[in-house]
Amino acid sequence: MNPLADNPLETRSDAQRAVVDLFDPLETHFSPGRARMKPDARGAHFPDSAAELEGFSRPLWGLVPLAAGGDDAFDGWSSYRTGLANGVDPDHPEYWGEAPDYSQKHVEMAAIGLGLALAPEELWDPLEASDRENLVAWLSQINEASLHDCNWLFFRVVVNLGLRAVGADHDWDLTQETLDELESYYLEDGWYADGPAGERPSDYYIPWAMHFYGLVYAAVAGDDDPERAARFRERAAQFAAEHRHWFDEDGAGLPYGRSLTYRFAQAAFWGGLAFADVDIEAYDLSWGEIKGLWFRNLRWWADQPIFTDGGVFSIGYRYPSLKVSESYNSPSSPYWGMKAFIPLALSQEHPFWRADEQPLSETADLTVQEAPKMAICRDEEAGHHYALTAGQNSHYLEKYTKFAYSTQFGFSVRSRAPGIDGAGHDSSLALSADGSTYRSRLSVTDSSVEGTTLHSRWEPWDDVTVETWLVPASPWHVRVHRLSTGRQLHSAEGGFPVDKTGDDQPDRHSHEEGEDGALVRYPAGTSGIRSLRGSREGTAITQDPNTNLVAPRTIVPTLTATHDPGTHWLVSGVTAATADRDAAWDRPPQLALEDDRFVVTDADGDELLRLPRSGSDR
């Protein structure tokens, strides 16, 4: 059941209705005391008490703006207050319990803090004095506990914003110290790292966390802290000019990084710009563009099979799959996406709501972004929107370290299946010493961006080093690898993964496999990889099911080879196109050797990359 199936998601009233419709399927999953919500029996790495608190709190990210904007369509506030009072009462059986250092409960406190700041008439004013006292005591634990040095620090900020808004005890000095720490994560051009620079990645946690909470702070406390609020607004405007390139024309966001099961949260940043009245026009953006980005993303998600039979959000990305989730994803985790509805707190007279939806005013074919070390490619002829990446280190591995991430074809994660089928080798060079266990670029020791070329160095073993250069050449991109190995290795380099739907109908799919290339065609699209240097065999490899974010069954055109100890140059051209589009398979990039240098050109002979050749090359 899709709660949004008959909602066109075109107006403010449509969005208001969406919040209520998304919440309604959760009603039957609340505990008797209304303090906990658990839609199914799956668990996360933290205790059930935290997971069930997550179920209670996360819908508030949408319900609170709904109330703040004056809409009375939601009639469940009395029940929410009952649950809130019981959850913070140490003598009640549904008490949420203590929140020690690094507890998930601190994460869930933030939605309640937002409620105190924006909708005190629903979550504070009607409470009994004893309930208020319990609530303040429970929330105040966040000021005594250690938090992870990342976006988590903003949870303390939002909680204190809420306590301050209702005149309750809070720690404003600690709040300012916490904000100072968060600002130290700032990089450039509107980008933050999600923690200390150089140690944490730049991903969706920048728009839907670092910027989002900063904009909430600017809107709620900006009059008392105008300089910081101005910085938050200015950085968000800068970031908006770059982040818009992560979105396809139909509203789909680029799948990259962790926590993608939050889905609608991709739209939260665009709504946050409106909530904080950011001066977007200074960066040649309009409210019509912002509104278009916001609504198109919501509509795209509403058309995907992301709900259970009961209308509850599933875990997964474009379809239900636990294989692509993180250990901290509980059954209620996807409701973090309700943050997208923050502009409902605004009056219908706000410019965001009064504007007509507009498409992106600028859709460059190629956009290089220094902070995340990406080159974002928008190939209209091939119907393909993707990013090449130099890689960012994270213990979430292939969610940050593949060579390319595609909006249309997604990416795949590793599974427990042995061999290359379970290695998640799409958009990767996978290496194996035994032919069974594969390693790819799962950590990066050095990376850089020079012009439109991305470079990285990675060391899968102590005696193996790979340097990789990625060059956009739409409708292709070129990969150059300098593999130095002290051992014999097997390699499998994958192109983009393609949905295998249609494989039971011979006239709807085809494979071209042979020396130095592989091409697969399916109803979802075409994907191919050619070897431009180095003798490698082309083959099509089916991946372990449910490991791809976009489709449950995928196949990857792949180049395979065996390499003796020494230095090897491997060069490949990779292309892909969506259904009924030309993949330009017969016009690949070219490689030549000039004066002991490799020269890579596109099909028309225009130079893309020139590299010195060194070492004992094969």
Side-chain angles (χ1 to χ4, degrees):
M1 185 187 76
N2 183 344
L4 304 177
D6 62 348
N7 190 329
L9 286 170
E10 294 177 346
T11 67
R12 184 172 182 267
S13 60
D14 291 341
Q16 290 171 324
R17 177 182 148 210
V19 173
V20 178
D21 289 345
L22 288 169
F23 177 81
D24 281 347
L26 302 177
E27 274 288 352
T28 59
H29 300 289
F30 273 84
S31 58
R34 303 291 299 185
R36 302 186 180 206
M37 198 277 290
K38 186 175 183 179
D40 63 50
R42 288 169 296 167
H45 71 71
F46 42 77
D48 286 347
S49 59
E52 292 162 12
L53 163 61
E54 190 173 72
F56 171 91
S57 67
R58 294 205 169 187
L60 289 173
W61 287 109
L63 295 171
V64 165
L66 189 69
D71 186 86
D72 59 2
F74 179 66
D75 59 5
W77 284 113
S78 177
S79 294
Y80 246 104
R81 287 191 294 273
T82 297
L84 184 62
N86 291 336
V88 298
D89 181 359
D91 296 325
H92 194 277
E94 294 186 14
Y95 176 53
W96 292 324
E98 302 302 311
D101 293 347
Y102 310 112
S103 171
Q104 180 70 22
K105 296 173 187 178
H106 299 131
V107 178
E108 310 315 321
M109 290 178 180
I112 299 170
L114 184 78
L116 298 183
L118 301 187
E121 67 282 358
E122 302 293 357
L123 288 176
W124 177 261
D125 296 345
L127 294 180
E128 298 291 338
S130 59
D131 295 331
R132 292 184 183 180
E133 183 177 340
N134 286 338
L135 176 58
V136 173
W138 187 78
L139 289 174
S140 294
Q141 294 178 93
I142 203 167
N143 292 329
E144 304 298 328
S146 296
L147 306 178
H148 294 294
D149 55 348
C150 60
N151 71 90
W152 274 45
L153 296 176
F154 260 122
F155 304 139
R156 177 182 290 147
V157 173
V158 178
V159 166
N160 280 284
L161 273 181
L163 293 172
R164 183 173 184 260
V166 297
D169 288 341
H170 61 284
D171 192 333
W172 201 240
D173 289 339
L174 179 59
T175 301
Q176 299 306 306
E177 292 174 13
T178 303
L179 285 163
D180 290 342
E181 175 66 18
L182 285 159
E183 288 205 66
S184 74
Y185 305 159
Y186 184 69
L187 301 174
E188 59 183 353
D189 299 327
W191 284 90
Y192 291 84
D194 185 23
E199 299 179 21
R200 303 289 173 82
S202 297
D203 55 9
Y204 274 110
Y205 274 89
I206 309 314
W208 70 34
M210 299 297 291
H211 277 299
F212 181 85
Y213 303 126
L215 292 172
V216 167
Y217 179 84
V220 175
D223 290 345
D224 298 324
D225 192 357
E227 291 185 6
R228 196 189 303 271
R231 286 196 300 274
F232 284 159
R233 289 186 170 101
E234 171 69 13
R235 291 170 183 171
Q238 286 183 281
F239 183 77
E242 294 223 334
H243 190 48
R244 59 182 169 173
H245 296 293
W246 283 40
F247 291 82
D248 203 351
E249 283 75 7
D250 64 357
L254 182 74
Y256 173 75
R258 66 189 178 98
S259 295
L260 294 176
T261 197
Y262 297 163
R263 297 180 173 118
F264 285 153
Q266 290 176 342
F269 171 71
W270 306 117
L273 293 173
F275 181 66
D277 288 318
V278 172
D279 181 13
I280 56 171
E281 294 179 355
Y283 287 85
D284 297 323
L285 289 164
S286 69
W287 286 119
E289 257 185 283
I290 301 304
K291 186 177 182 180
L293 282 160
W294 188 78
F295 260 128
R296 286 193 298 273
N297 186 251
L298 293 181
R299 286 196 293 267
W300 188 86
W301 280 115
D303 285 340
Q304 309 309 315
I306 58 177
F307 297 99
T308 67
D309 288 344
V312 174
F313 274 130
S314 65
I315 299 291
Y317 189 65
R318 203 194 65 82
Y319 67 97
S321 176
L322 287 177
K323 288 184 179 180
V324 303
S325 67
E326 284 82 32
S327 63
Y328 53 82
N329 290 156
S330 86
S332 299
S333 287
Y335 286 89
W336 199 251
M338 298 290 272
K339 293 196 298 183
F341 294 102
I342 190 70
L344 292 178
L346 302 169
S347 160
Q348 62 183 358
E349 298 304 314
H350 190 278
F352 175 86
W353 291 117
R354 295 180 64 185
D356 293 327
E357 279 190 55
Q358 297 293 330
L360 289 172
S361 60
E362 178 188 349
T363 54
D365 294 337
L366 176 63
T367 305
V368 176
Q369 299 186 343
E370 296 278 350
K373 297 179 180 176
M374 284 183 173
I376 298 179
C377 306
R378 198 182 293 271
D379 188 344
E380 293 186 9
E381 290 188 8
H384 193 197
H385 175 242
Y386 61 99
L388 303 180
T389 74
Q392 300 188 66
N393 284 327
S394 168
H395 60 277
Y396 294 101
L397 303 178
E398 60 269 301
K399 296 183 178 182
Y400 294 91
T401 55
K402 288 183 181 287
F403 302 141
Y405 293 84
S406 167
T407 300
Q408 284 74 27
F409 300 106
F411 68 88
S412 304
V413 298
R414 293 177 299 164
S415 74
R416 297 180 65 182
I420 193 61
D421 295 9
H425 74 290
D426 57 282
S427 297
S428 302
L429 174 64
L431 303 172
S432 174
D434 60 7
S436 177
T437 303
Y438 282 82
R439 301 182 184 185
S440 55
R441 187 178 70 171
L442 298 181
S443 63
V444 178
T445 59
D446 181 59
S447 61
S448 62
V449 180
E450 183 174 346
T452 60
T453 299
L454 310 180
H455 170 262
S456 66
R457 179 185 176 95
W458 43 292
E459 299 171 355
W461 287 271
D462 291 343
D463 60 347
V464 178
T465 299
V466 185
E467 284 190 88
T468 295
W469 292 263
L470 303 175
V471 187
S474 288
W476 294 79
H477 70 268
V478 177
R479 306 174 188 167
V480 180
H481 311 289
R482 185 178 186 272
L483 168 63
S484 299
T485 176
R487 64 181 71 190
Q488 186 183 70
L489 290 174
H490 306 275
S491 71
E493 182 170 6
F496 290 102
V498 178
D499 183 353
K500 284 190 70 177
T501 299
D503 61 340
D504 58 343
Q505 302 174 52
D507 61 337
R508 300 190 68 198
H509 76 282
S510 65
H511 297 175
E512 295 181 24
E513 303 169 275
E515 186 176 354
D516 295 336
L519 178 75
V520 296
R521 296 184 186 274
Y522 283 80
T526 301
S527 177
I529 184 169
R530 284 185 180 274
S531 177
L532 305 182
R533 177 180 174 83
S535 179
R536 291 186 281 174
E537 187 70 18
T539 185
I541 294 177
T542 295
Q543 296 185 291
D544 207 29
N546 304 309
T547 55
N548 184 272
L549 275 77
V550 168
R553 300 169 59 247
T554 51
I555 190 166
V556 182
T558 305
L559 295 173
T560 63
T562 301
H563 312 281
D564 292 328
T567 298
H568 309 264
W569 287 91
L570 307 177
V571 185
S572 59
V574 180
T575 188
T578 51
D580 302 321
R581 303 292 185 100
D582 181 9
W585 181 243
D586 295 327
R587 299 188 73 246
Q590 302 296 316
L591 179 73
L593 183 61
E594 297 180 6
D595 299 326
D596 208 35
R597 290 177 179 269
F598 288 128
V599 179
V600 181
T601 66
D602 63 18
D604 296 321
D606 294 329
E607 185 173 312
L608 301 171
L609 178 67
R610 184 177 289 261
L611 288 175
R613 191 183 75 158
S614 62
S616 177
D617 304 327
R618 293 177 174 82

